[in-house]
Amino acid sequence: MNKTTEGWICGLVGVAIFSGSMPATKLAVTGFDPVFLTAARAALAAVLGALFLAGMRASPPARTDGWPLVTVALCVVIGFPLLSAMALRHMTASRSILFLGLLPLATAFFGVLRGGERPRPPFWLCSAGGAGLVVLMAALQGGGGFGTADLAMGASVLLCGLGYAEGGALARRLGGWQVICWALLVAAPPMALVALVLCPPSLRGIPPAAWLGLGYVTVFSMLVGFVFWYRGLALGGIAAVGQVQLLQPFLAFALAAALLHEAIGWPLVLTAAGVVCCVAGARRFAARGLPEPTRA
């Protein structure tokens, strides 16, 4: 298996894991405040990350990696989880999932700025076409106007795209799983403090579904998914592998239907088919000659 193929496979596994994030967050906010949820998932995941780093005897990052790790922490450990959780207090999981279709464009854009990649022009046409299909579906099935919750989800997507691109570029020299583990440790002190301050006085009234959601976003969304995702971005390219995210909304819709009993119709299926074609086209015209990762 060559590195590009392995990168795409790792990226697909990461996206499959991330697909459960919005439904799980929707379950979690039924029992937890969004700010506490964000802090608790980050602090708990940091404990797991620290154990993983210690068990693998990972070398500490270089001093020059400090600010990139801070950027990753601010974007994907704090910003995206917090804004998406706040948005899910006022919108359905299905509506929030539609915004995830814009993640590939955000990731590719920041990949060009931060990762030094230069995709060919047809790549941007395929990427814009896939995002356009998602936006069209959002307009047809949005179920309401554009409000504060939509702005929060839009901002969370931008932060997530920046965090993905920064982490993917950093993973080329640091290693995919080390990036998210060290980023979690960077965010751990303030997140642990916030979690302690905002911890509910009593945990008895919190429904089991909320605990299940917290468990998923802590273990899978906050840690395991990033192990695969950042490795995929490092091996296959930020802009190229980032297009796999176009499949994430539709995987997430299937989970939302199963867990939250939200309806899925033929327009969604047809749109998914069109997005798959755009992903295939984007891969064909993705950047060539990517820098070699120095550490795995």
PDB file of all heavy atoms in Angstrom, residues 20-32 37 41 84-97 207 209-210 212-214 217 256 259-260 262:
ATOM      1  N   GLY A  20     -20.245  10.569  13.790  1.00  0.00           N
ATOM      2  CA  GLY A  20     -21.100  10.431  14.965  1.00  0.00           C
ATOM      3  C   GLY A  20     -21.042  11.614  15.911  1.00  0.00           C
ATOM      4  O   GLY A  20     -21.781  11.644  16.905  1.00  0.00           O
ATOM      5  N   SER A  21     -20.210  12.615  15.595  1.00  0.00           N
ATOM      6  CA  SER A  21     -20.004  13.718  16.532  1.00  0.00           C
ATOM      7  C   SER A  21     -21.247  14.570  16.745  1.00  0.00           C
ATOM      8  O   SER A  21     -21.611  14.899  17.881  1.00  0.00           O
ATOM      9  CB  SER A  21     -18.849  14.603  16.053  1.00  0.00           C
ATOM     10  OG  SER A  21     -17.640  13.892  16.042  1.00  0.00           O
ATOM     11  N   MET A  22     -21.915  14.968  15.645  1.00  0.00           N
ATOM     12  CA  MET A  22     -23.083  15.834  15.796  1.00  0.00           C
ATOM     13  C   MET A  22     -24.240  15.118  16.486  1.00  0.00           C
ATOM     14  O   MET A  22     -24.837  15.672  17.426  1.00  0.00           O
ATOM     15  CB  MET A  22     -23.514  16.383  14.432  1.00  0.00           C
ATOM     16  CG  MET A  22     -22.562  17.398  13.812  1.00  0.00           C
ATOM     17  SD  MET A  22     -22.332  18.911  14.804  1.00  0.00           S
ATOM     18  CE  MET A  22     -20.737  18.567  15.562  1.00  0.00           C
ATOM     19  N   PRO A  23     -24.600  13.883  16.061  1.00  0.00           N
ATOM     20  CA  PRO A  23     -25.646  13.177  16.812  1.00  0.00           C
ATOM     21  C   PRO A  23     -25.278  12.962  18.279  1.00  0.00           C
ATOM     22  O   PRO A  23     -26.130  13.111  19.164  1.00  0.00           O
ATOM     23  CB  PRO A  23     -25.770  11.841  16.065  1.00  0.00           C
ATOM     24  CG  PRO A  23     -25.339  12.146  14.672  1.00  0.00           C
ATOM     25  CD  PRO A  23     -24.233  13.146  14.839  1.00  0.00           C
ATOM     26  N   ALA A  24     -24.013  12.629  18.557  1.00  0.00           N
ATOM     27  CA  ALA A  24     -23.594  12.410  19.939  1.00  0.00           C
ATOM     28  C   ALA A  24     -23.639  13.707  20.739  1.00  0.00           C
ATOM     29  O   ALA A  24     -24.040  13.720  21.910  1.00  0.00           O
ATOM     30  CB  ALA A  24     -22.187  11.812  19.973  1.00  0.00           C
ATOM     31  N   THR A  25     -23.221  14.817  20.109  1.00  0.00           N
ATOM     32  CA  THR A  25     -23.279  16.112  20.798  1.00  0.00           C
ATOM     33  C   THR A  25     -24.720  16.505  21.074  1.00  0.00           C
ATOM     34  O   THR A  25     -25.028  17.060  22.144  1.00  0.00           O
ATOM     35  CB  THR A  25     -22.586  17.194  19.953  1.00  0.00           C
ATOM     36  OG1 THR A  25     -21.232  16.811  19.711  1.00  0.00           O
ATOM     37  CG2 THR A  25     -22.605  18.538  20.679  1.00  0.00           C
ATOM     38  N   LYS A  26     -25.606  16.229  20.131  1.00  0.00           N
ATOM     39  CA  LYS A  26     -27.027  16.523  20.335  1.00  0.00           C
ATOM     40  C   LYS A  26     -27.567  15.757  21.544  1.00  0.00           C
ATOM     41  O   LYS A  26     -28.338  16.312  22.345  1.00  0.00           O
ATOM     42  CB  LYS A  26     -27.818  16.162  19.078  1.00  0.00           C
ATOM     43  CG  LYS A  26     -29.310  16.477  19.159  1.00  0.00           C
ATOM     44  CD  LYS A  26     -29.564  17.971  19.249  1.00  0.00           C
ATOM     45  CE  LYS A  26     -31.052  18.290  19.221  1.00  0.00           C
ATOM     46  NZ  LYS A  26     -31.303  19.753  19.343  1.00  0.00           N
ATOM     47  N   LEU A  27     -27.142  14.508  21.690  1.00  0.00           N
ATOM     48  CA  LEU A  27     -27.549  13.737  22.863  1.00  0.00           C
ATOM     49  C   LEU A  27     -26.943  14.323  24.137  1.00  0.00           C
ATOM     50  O   LEU A  27     -27.613  14.415  25.168  1.00  0.00           O
ATOM     51  CB  LEU A  27     -27.108  12.278  22.704  1.00  0.00           C
ATOM     52  CG  LEU A  27     -27.816  11.443  21.639  1.00  0.00           C
ATOM     53  CD1 LEU A  27     -27.172  10.065  21.542  1.00  0.00           C
ATOM     54  CD2 LEU A  27     -29.309  11.303  21.950  1.00  0.00           C
ATOM     55  N   ALA A  28     -25.679  14.731  24.058  1.00  0.00           N
ATOM     56  CA  ALA A  28     -24.983  15.211  25.247  1.00  0.00           C
ATOM     57  C   ALA A  28     -25.586  16.506  25.779  1.00  0.00           C
ATOM     58  O   ALA A  28     -25.674  16.703  27.001  1.00  0.00           O
ATOM     59  CB  ALA A  28     -23.501  15.394  24.949  1.00  0.00           C
ATOM     60  N   VAL A  29     -25.993  17.418  24.880  1.00  0.00           N
ATOM     61  CA  VAL A  29     -26.509  18.714  25.351  1.00  0.00           C
ATOM     62  C   VAL A  29     -27.911  18.603  25.927  1.00  0.00           C
ATOM     63  O   VAL A  29     -28.424  19.581  26.455  1.00  0.00           O
ATOM     64  CB  VAL A  29     -26.495  19.770  24.215  1.00  0.00           C
ATOM     65  CG1 VAL A  29     -25.074  20.073  23.784  1.00  0.00           C
ATOM     66  CG2 VAL A  29     -27.359  19.345  23.034  1.00  0.00           C
ATOM     67  N   THR A  30     -28.528  17.418  25.864  1.00  0.00           N
ATOM     68  CA  THR A  30     -29.810  17.234  26.556  1.00  0.00           C
ATOM     69  C   THR A  30     -29.614  17.165  28.067  1.00  0.00           C
ATOM     70  O   THR A  30     -30.587  17.312  28.818  1.00  0.00           O
ATOM     71  CB  THR A  30     -30.516  15.955  26.073  1.00  0.00           C
ATOM     72  OG1 THR A  30     -29.682  14.816  26.353  1.00  0.00           O
ATOM     73  CG2 THR A  30     -30.791  16.014  24.571  1.00  0.00           C
ATOM     74  N   GLY A  31     -28.362  16.933  28.506  1.00  0.00           N
ATOM     75  CA  GLY A  31     -28.117  16.848  29.937  1.00  0.00           C
ATOM     76  C   GLY A  31     -26.994  17.713  30.448  1.00  0.00           C
ATOM     77  O   GLY A  31     -26.858  17.900  31.664  1.00  0.00           O
ATOM     78  N   PHE A  32     -26.178  18.247  29.528  1.00  0.00           N
ATOM     79  CA  PHE A  32     -25.020  19.036  29.943  1.00  0.00           C
ATOM     80  C   PHE A  32     -25.033  20.406  29.283  1.00  0.00           C
ATOM     81  O   PHE A  32     -25.442  20.549  28.125  1.00  0.00           O
ATOM     82  CB  PHE A  32     -23.712  18.321  29.577  1.00  0.00           C
ATOM     83  CG  PHE A  32     -23.503  17.007  30.274  1.00  0.00           C
ATOM     84  CD1 PHE A  32     -23.652  15.817  29.576  1.00  0.00           C
ATOM     85  CD2 PHE A  32     -23.172  16.955  31.616  1.00  0.00           C
ATOM     86  CE1 PHE A  32     -23.460  14.598  30.193  1.00  0.00           C
ATOM     87  CE2 PHE A  32     -22.980  15.744  32.257  1.00  0.00           C
ATOM     88  CZ  PHE A  32     -23.123  14.555  31.546  1.00  0.00           C
ATOM     89  N   LEU A  37     -19.722  20.788  28.731  1.00  0.00           N
ATOM     90  CA  LEU A  37     -19.500  19.650  27.831  1.00  0.00           C
ATOM     91  C   LEU A  37     -18.170  19.785  27.096  1.00  0.00           C
ATOM     92  O   LEU A  37     -17.391  18.825  27.014  1.00  0.00           O
ATOM     93  CB  LEU A  37     -20.653  19.537  26.835  1.00  0.00           C
ATOM     94  CG  LEU A  37     -20.496  18.494  25.725  1.00  0.00           C
ATOM     95  CD1 LEU A  37     -20.443  17.090  26.311  1.00  0.00           C
ATOM     96  CD2 LEU A  37     -21.633  18.620  24.711  1.00  0.00           C
ATOM     97  N   ARG A  41     -15.126  17.129  27.929  1.00  0.00           N
ATOM     98  CA  ARG A  41     -14.630  16.208  26.904  1.00  0.00           C
ATOM     99  C   ARG A  41     -13.145  16.441  26.632  1.00  0.00           C
ATOM    100  O   ARG A  41     -12.398  15.491  26.413  1.00  0.00           O
ATOM    101  CB  ARG A  41     -15.451  16.346  25.612  1.00  0.00           C
ATOM    102  CG  ARG A  41     -15.336  17.673  24.920  1.00  0.00           C
ATOM    103  CD  ARG A  41     -16.277  17.812  23.739  1.00  0.00           C
ATOM    104  NE  ARG A  41     -15.725  17.221  22.526  1.00  0.00           N
ATOM    105  CZ  ARG A  41     -16.315  17.280  21.328  1.00  0.00           C
ATOM    106  NH1 ARG A  41     -17.494  17.872  21.201  1.00  0.00           N
ATOM    107  NH2 ARG A  41     -15.754  16.725  20.289  1.00  0.00           N
ATOM    108  N   SER A  84     -20.316  24.339  18.093  1.00  0.00           N
ATOM    109  CA  SER A  84     -21.287  23.373  17.587  1.00  0.00           C
ATOM    110  C   SER A  84     -22.241  22.930  18.687  1.00  0.00           C
ATOM    111  O   SER A  84     -23.444  22.745  18.445  1.00  0.00           O
ATOM    112  CB  SER A  84     -20.576  22.165  16.960  1.00  0.00           C
ATOM    113  OG  SER A  84     -19.752  21.509  17.907  1.00  0.00           O
ATOM    114  N   ALA A  85     -21.744  22.770  19.916  1.00  0.00           N
ATOM    115  CA  ALA A  85     -22.624  22.399  21.028  1.00  0.00           C
ATOM    116  C   ALA A  85     -23.621  23.510  21.326  1.00  0.00           C
ATOM    117  O   ALA A  85     -24.804  23.248  21.603  1.00  0.00           O
ATOM    118  CB  ALA A  85     -21.791  22.077  22.268  1.00  0.00           C
ATOM    119  N   MET A  86     -23.170  24.768  21.275  1.00  0.00           N
ATOM    120  CA  MET A  86     -24.079  25.890  21.490  1.00  0.00           C
ATOM    121  C   MET A  86     -25.141  25.946  20.386  1.00  0.00           C
ATOM    122  O   MET A  86     -26.318  26.215  20.659  1.00  0.00           O
ATOM    123  CB  MET A  86     -23.285  27.193  21.539  1.00  0.00           C
ATOM    124  CG  MET A  86     -22.370  27.315  22.744  1.00  0.00           C
ATOM    125  SD  MET A  86     -21.302  28.781  22.689  1.00  0.00           S
ATOM    126  CE  MET A  86     -22.535  30.081  22.781  1.00  0.00           C
ATOM    127  N   ALA A  87     -24.724  25.682  19.157  1.00  0.00           N
ATOM    128  CA  ALA A  87     -25.684  25.693  18.047  1.00  0.00           C
ATOM    129  C   ALA A  87     -26.713  24.581  18.187  1.00  0.00           C
ATOM    130  O   ALA A  87     -27.903  24.780  17.896  1.00  0.00           O
ATOM    131  CB  ALA A  87     -24.942  25.562  16.722  1.00  0.00           C
ATOM    132  N   LEU A  88     -26.279  23.420  18.654  1.00  0.00           N
ATOM    133  CA  LEU A  88     -27.183  22.272  18.757  1.00  0.00           C
ATOM    134  C   LEU A  88     -28.211  22.431  19.868  1.00  0.00           C
ATOM    135  O   LEU A  88     -29.154  21.640  19.952  1.00  0.00           O
ATOM    136  CB  LEU A  88     -26.376  20.990  18.952  1.00  0.00           C
ATOM    137  CG  LEU A  88     -25.760  20.445  17.667  1.00  0.00           C
ATOM    138  CD1 LEU A  88     -24.678  19.426  17.973  1.00  0.00           C
ATOM    139  CD2 LEU A  88     -26.830  19.839  16.777  1.00  0.00           C
ATOM    140  N   ARG A  89     -28.039  23.429  20.699  1.00  0.00           N
ATOM    141  CA  ARG A  89     -29.075  23.739  21.678  1.00  0.00           C
ATOM    142  C   ARG A  89     -30.309  24.332  21.000  1.00  0.00           C
ATOM    143  O   ARG A  89     -31.412  24.307  21.563  1.00  0.00           O
ATOM    144  CB  ARG A  89     -28.538  24.745  22.711  1.00  0.00           C
ATOM    145  CG  ARG A  89     -27.826  24.118  23.908  1.00  0.00           C
ATOM    146  CD  ARG A  89     -28.855  23.477  24.837  1.00  0.00           C
ATOM    147  NE  ARG A  89     -28.272  22.911  26.033  1.00  0.00           N
ATOM    148  CZ  ARG A  89     -28.126  23.553  27.184  1.00  0.00           C
ATOM    149  NH1 ARG A  89     -28.480  24.823  27.265  1.00  0.00           N
ATOM    150  NH2 ARG A  89     -27.642  22.947  28.236  1.00  0.00           N
ATOM    151  N   HIS A  90     -30.136  24.867  19.777  1.00  0.00           N
ATOM    152  CA  HIS A  90     -31.214  25.601  19.115  1.00  0.00           C
ATOM    153  C   HIS A  90     -31.491  25.108  17.690  1.00  0.00           C
ATOM    154  O   HIS A  90     -32.227  25.768  16.961  1.00  0.00           O
ATOM    155  CB  HIS A  90     -30.870  27.093  19.075  1.00  0.00           C
ATOM    156  CG  HIS A  90     -30.551  27.668  20.414  1.00  0.00           C
ATOM    157  ND1 HIS A  90     -31.508  27.913  21.368  1.00  0.00           N
ATOM    158  CD2 HIS A  90     -29.357  28.018  20.972  1.00  0.00           C
ATOM    159  CE1 HIS A  90     -30.938  28.418  22.455  1.00  0.00           C
ATOM    160  NE2 HIS A  90     -29.634  28.482  22.242  1.00  0.00           N
ATOM    161  N   MET A  91     -30.905  23.996  17.280  1.00  0.00           N
ATOM    162  CA  MET A  91     -31.190  23.445  15.948  1.00  0.00           C
ATOM    163  C   MET A  91     -31.132  21.935  16.004  1.00  0.00           C
ATOM    164  O   MET A  91     -30.590  21.352  16.951  1.00  0.00           O
ATOM    165  CB  MET A  91     -30.196  23.977  14.902  1.00  0.00           C
ATOM    166  CG  MET A  91     -28.755  23.527  15.117  1.00  0.00           C
ATOM    167  SD  MET A  91     -27.667  23.809  13.681  1.00  0.00           S
ATOM    168  CE  MET A  91     -27.851  25.565  13.404  1.00  0.00           C
ATOM    169  N   THR A  92     -31.718  21.314  15.001  1.00  0.00           N
ATOM    170  CA  THR A  92     -31.688  19.864  14.940  1.00  0.00           C
ATOM    171  C   THR A  92     -30.305  19.382  14.509  1.00  0.00           C
ATOM    172  O   THR A  92     -29.515  20.135  13.932  1.00  0.00           O
ATOM    173  CB  THR A  92     -32.720  19.347  13.932  1.00  0.00           C
ATOM    174  OG1 THR A  92     -32.360  19.804  12.610  1.00  0.00           O
ATOM    175  CG2 THR A  92     -34.125  19.833  14.275  1.00  0.00           C
ATOM    176  N   ALA A  93     -30.029  18.120  14.781  1.00  0.00           N
ATOM    177  CA  ALA A  93     -28.756  17.540  14.344  1.00  0.00           C
ATOM    178  C   ALA A  93     -28.650  17.551  12.826  1.00  0.00           C
ATOM    179  O   ALA A  93     -27.581  17.798  12.265  1.00  0.00           O
ATOM    180  CB  ALA A  93     -28.625  16.114  14.884  1.00  0.00           C
ATOM    181  N   SER A  94     -29.777  17.305  12.147  1.00  0.00           N
ATOM    182  CA  SER A  94     -29.767  17.277  10.682  1.00  0.00           C
ATOM    183  C   SER A  94     -29.329  18.618  10.104  1.00  0.00           C
ATOM    184  O   SER A  94     -28.540  18.675   9.157  1.00  0.00           O
ATOM    185  CB  SER A  94     -31.152  16.908  10.150  1.00  0.00           C
ATOM    186  OG  SER A  94     -31.506  15.602  10.529  1.00  0.00           O
ATOM    187  N   ARG A  95     -29.853  19.691  10.650  1.00  0.00           N
ATOM    188  CA  ARG A  95     -29.484  21.007  10.137  1.00  0.00           C
ATOM    189  C   ARG A  95     -28.006  21.309  10.399  1.00  0.00           C
ATOM    190  O   ARG A  95     -27.313  21.857   9.544  1.00  0.00           O
ATOM    191  CB  ARG A  95     -30.360  22.094  10.751  1.00  0.00           C
ATOM    192  CG  ARG A  95     -30.135  23.484  10.128  1.00  0.00           C
ATOM    193  CD  ARG A  95     -31.218  24.448  10.541  1.00  0.00           C
ATOM    194  NE  ARG A  95     -30.988  25.786  10.009  1.00  0.00           N
ATOM    195  CZ  ARG A  95     -31.339  26.185   8.792  1.00  0.00           C
ATOM    196  NH1 ARG A  95     -31.928  25.317   7.972  1.00  0.00           N
ATOM    197  NH2 ARG A  95     -31.107  27.416   8.382  1.00  0.00           N
ATOM    198  N   SER A  96     -27.510  20.929  11.569  1.00  0.00           N
ATOM    199  CA  SER A  96     -26.100  21.169  11.863  1.00  0.00           C
ATOM    200  C   SER A  96     -25.193  20.342  10.961  1.00  0.00           C
ATOM    201  O   SER A  96     -24.112  20.792  10.556  1.00  0.00           O
ATOM    202  CB  SER A  96     -25.807  20.850  13.335  1.00  0.00           C
ATOM    203  OG  SER A  96     -25.849  19.458  13.584  1.00  0.00           O
ATOM    204  N   ILE A  97     -25.629  19.141  10.628  1.00  0.00           N
ATOM    205  CA  ILE A  97     -24.827  18.248   9.786  1.00  0.00           C
ATOM    206  C   ILE A  97     -24.635  18.839   8.389  1.00  0.00           C
ATOM    207  O   ILE A  97     -23.589  18.646   7.758  1.00  0.00           O
ATOM    208  CB  ILE A  97     -25.492  16.853   9.717  1.00  0.00           C
ATOM    209  CG1 ILE A  97     -25.346  16.141  11.065  1.00  0.00           C
ATOM    210  CG2 ILE A  97     -24.882  16.009   8.608  1.00  0.00           C
ATOM    211  CD1 ILE A  97     -26.228  14.920  11.206  1.00  0.00           C
ATOM    212  N   PRO A 207     -29.778  12.304  31.926  1.00  0.00           N
ATOM    213  CA  PRO A 207     -30.243  11.082  31.265  1.00  0.00           C
ATOM    214  C   PRO A 207     -29.092  10.230  30.745  1.00  0.00           C
ATOM    215  O   PRO A 207     -28.012  10.759  30.423  1.00  0.00           O
ATOM    216  CB  PRO A 207     -31.113  11.609  30.118  1.00  0.00           C
ATOM    217  CG  PRO A 207     -30.630  12.999  29.874  1.00  0.00           C
ATOM    218  CD  PRO A 207     -30.178  13.516  31.194  1.00  0.00           C
ATOM    219  N   ALA A 209     -28.667   8.921  27.883  1.00  0.00           N
ATOM    220  CA  ALA A 209     -28.282   9.298  26.520  1.00  0.00           C
ATOM    221  C   ALA A 209     -27.230  10.403  26.537  1.00  0.00           C
ATOM    222  O   ALA A 209     -26.326  10.427  25.693  1.00  0.00           O
ATOM    223  CB  ALA A 209     -29.510   9.750  25.737  1.00  0.00           C
ATOM    224  N   ALA A 210     -27.341  11.334  27.500  1.00  0.00           N
ATOM    225  CA  ALA A 210     -26.361  12.413  27.594  1.00  0.00           C
ATOM    226  C   ALA A 210     -24.988  11.870  27.983  1.00  0.00           C
ATOM    227  O   ALA A 210     -23.959  12.318  27.466  1.00  0.00           O
ATOM    228  CB  ALA A 210     -26.825  13.459  28.608  1.00  0.00           C
ATOM    229  N   LEU A 212     -23.939   8.869  27.301  1.00  0.00           N
ATOM    230  CA  LEU A 212     -23.464   8.159  26.119  1.00  0.00           C
ATOM    231  C   LEU A 212     -22.857   9.136  25.122  1.00  0.00           C
ATOM    232  O   LEU A 212     -21.791   8.876  24.541  1.00  0.00           O
ATOM    233  CB  LEU A 212     -24.623   7.394  25.466  1.00  0.00           C
ATOM    234  CG  LEU A 212     -24.289   6.598  24.195  1.00  0.00           C
ATOM    235  CD1 LEU A 212     -23.274   5.498  24.500  1.00  0.00           C
ATOM    236  CD2 LEU A 212     -25.553   5.986  23.603  1.00  0.00           C
ATOM    237  N   GLY A 213     -23.531  10.279  24.929  1.00  0.00           N
ATOM    238  CA  GLY A 213     -23.008  11.291  24.019  1.00  0.00           C
ATOM    239  C   GLY A 213     -21.678  11.838  24.498  1.00  0.00           C
ATOM    240  O   GLY A 213     -20.739  12.014  23.709  1.00  0.00           O
ATOM    241  N   LEU A 214     -21.559  12.113  25.802  1.00  0.00           N
ATOM    242  CA  LEU A 214     -20.308  12.612  26.361  1.00  0.00           C
ATOM    243  C   LEU A 214     -19.185  11.595  26.176  1.00  0.00           C
ATOM    244  O   LEU A 214     -18.053  11.953  25.812  1.00  0.00           O
ATOM    245  CB  LEU A 214     -20.483  12.922  27.850  1.00  0.00           C
ATOM    246  CG  LEU A 214     -19.212  13.317  28.613  1.00  0.00           C
ATOM    247  CD1 LEU A 214     -18.575  14.564  28.026  1.00  0.00           C
ATOM    248  CD2 LEU A 214     -19.523  13.516  30.106  1.00  0.00           C
ATOM    249  N   VAL A 217     -18.063  11.613  22.321  1.00  0.00           N
ATOM    250  CA  VAL A 217     -17.286  12.780  21.885  1.00  0.00           C
ATOM    251  C   VAL A 217     -15.946  12.860  22.606  1.00  0.00           C
ATOM    252  O   VAL A 217     -14.988  13.440  22.080  1.00  0.00           O
ATOM    253  CB  VAL A 217     -18.087  14.090  22.068  1.00  0.00           C
ATOM    254  CG1 VAL A 217     -19.329  14.086  21.185  1.00  0.00           C
ATOM    255  CG2 VAL A 217     -18.452  14.333  23.526  1.00  0.00           C
ATOM    256  N   ALA A 256     -27.939   9.958  12.547  1.00  0.00           N
ATOM    257  CA  ALA A 256     -29.005  10.780  13.129  1.00  0.00           C
ATOM    258  C   ALA A 256     -30.358  10.109  12.976  1.00  0.00           C
ATOM    259  O   ALA A 256     -31.204  10.174  13.866  1.00  0.00           O
ATOM    260  CB  ALA A 256     -29.017  12.156  12.464  1.00  0.00           C
ATOM    261  N   LEU A 259     -30.278   7.128  15.577  1.00  0.00           N
ATOM    262  CA  LEU A 259     -30.237   7.493  16.990  1.00  0.00           C
ATOM    263  C   LEU A 259     -31.303   8.502  17.391  1.00  0.00           C
ATOM    264  O   LEU A 259     -31.848   8.430  18.494  1.00  0.00           O
ATOM    265  CB  LEU A 259     -28.856   8.056  17.347  1.00  0.00           C
ATOM    266  CG  LEU A 259     -27.667   7.096  17.195  1.00  0.00           C
ATOM    267  CD1 LEU A 259     -26.358   7.835  17.471  1.00  0.00           C
ATOM    268  CD2 LEU A 259     -27.812   5.904  18.134  1.00  0.00           C
ATOM    269  N   LEU A 260     -31.580   9.458  16.480  1.00  0.00           N
ATOM    270  CA  LEU A 260     -32.495  10.545  16.805  1.00  0.00           C
ATOM    271  C   LEU A 260     -33.812  10.458  16.051  1.00  0.00           C
ATOM    272  O   LEU A 260     -34.667  11.338  16.182  1.00  0.00           O
ATOM    273  CB  LEU A 260     -31.822  11.895  16.507  1.00  0.00           C
ATOM    274  CG  LEU A 260     -30.472  12.118  17.192  1.00  0.00           C
ATOM    275  CD1 LEU A 260     -29.853  13.427  16.721  1.00  0.00           C
ATOM    276  CD2 LEU A 260     -30.623  12.108  18.703  1.00  0.00           C
ATOM    277  N   GLU A 262     -34.553  10.890  12.858  1.00  0.00           N
ATOM    278  CA  GLU A 262     -34.797  11.958  11.893  1.00  0.00           C
ATOM    279  C   GLU A 262     -34.936  11.351  10.499  1.00  0.00           C
ATOM    280  O   GLU A 262     -34.179  10.463  10.116  1.00  0.00           O
ATOM    281  CB  GLU A 262     -33.672  12.986  11.938  1.00  0.00           C
ATOM    282  CG  GLU A 262     -33.591  13.682  13.281  1.00  0.00           C
ATOM    283  CD  GLU A 262     -32.534  14.769  13.319  1.00  0.00           C
ATOM    284  OE1 GLU A 262     -31.922  15.030  12.261  1.00  0.00           O
ATOM    285  OE2 GLU A 262     -32.324  15.350  14.392  1.00  0.00           O
TER     286      GLU A 262
END
